[in-house]
Amino acid sequence: MKPEIVISSRDLERLEGLLFSPAARNRSDLNGLRDELERAVVREPDEMPVDVITMNSRARFREQPSGREYELTLVYPGDAEQGSAKVSVFSPAGSALLGLSVGQAIDWKTDDGRSIHLEVLEVRQPEAAGH
């Protein structure tokens, strides 16, 4: 069972524009993100809870069972950098992060094929700056 996710109408509009662009329209690897957007609860940016991962949010996670903590930033495809802490929303991992909130957890496949369990500990969200 997947956790409930919340996204802002601004993120939804921009992501749909990218997903339905000629370059991405027929990419089956983006179906996971399309599915996430379809099941998401959509809120206006000023109504977004401050503890939800939105685009350009920086989030701190705890990996189980190791207990290791680290931070990732969820970015648009053109802003992701190999080997950095920036994760593209077009990646399976990035689409899984969108809309999660503090206290929720997901199972994540690493680049080397391992499966890990990540819990969201903290979110610093650009849209929450005005709250």
Side-chain angles (χ1 to χ4, degrees), residues 92-110:
S95 64
L97 295 177
L98 181 66
L100 290 180
S101 60
V102 171
Q104 288 184 313
I106 60 166
D107 293 316
W108 180 310
K109 280 273 193 221
T110 63

Side-chain angles (χ1 to χ4, degrees), residues 49-75:
V50 297
D51 65 345
V52 172
I53 299 173
T54 61
M55 293 307 302
N56 299 307
S57 289
R58 184 158 186 83
R60 190 167 54 91
F61 301 91
R62 179 180 300 122
E63 178 184 321
Q64 297 298 340
S66 73
R68 185 178 139 229
E69 291 185 13
Y70 49 93
E71 292 188 356
L72 298 170
T73 302
L74 184 63
V75 298

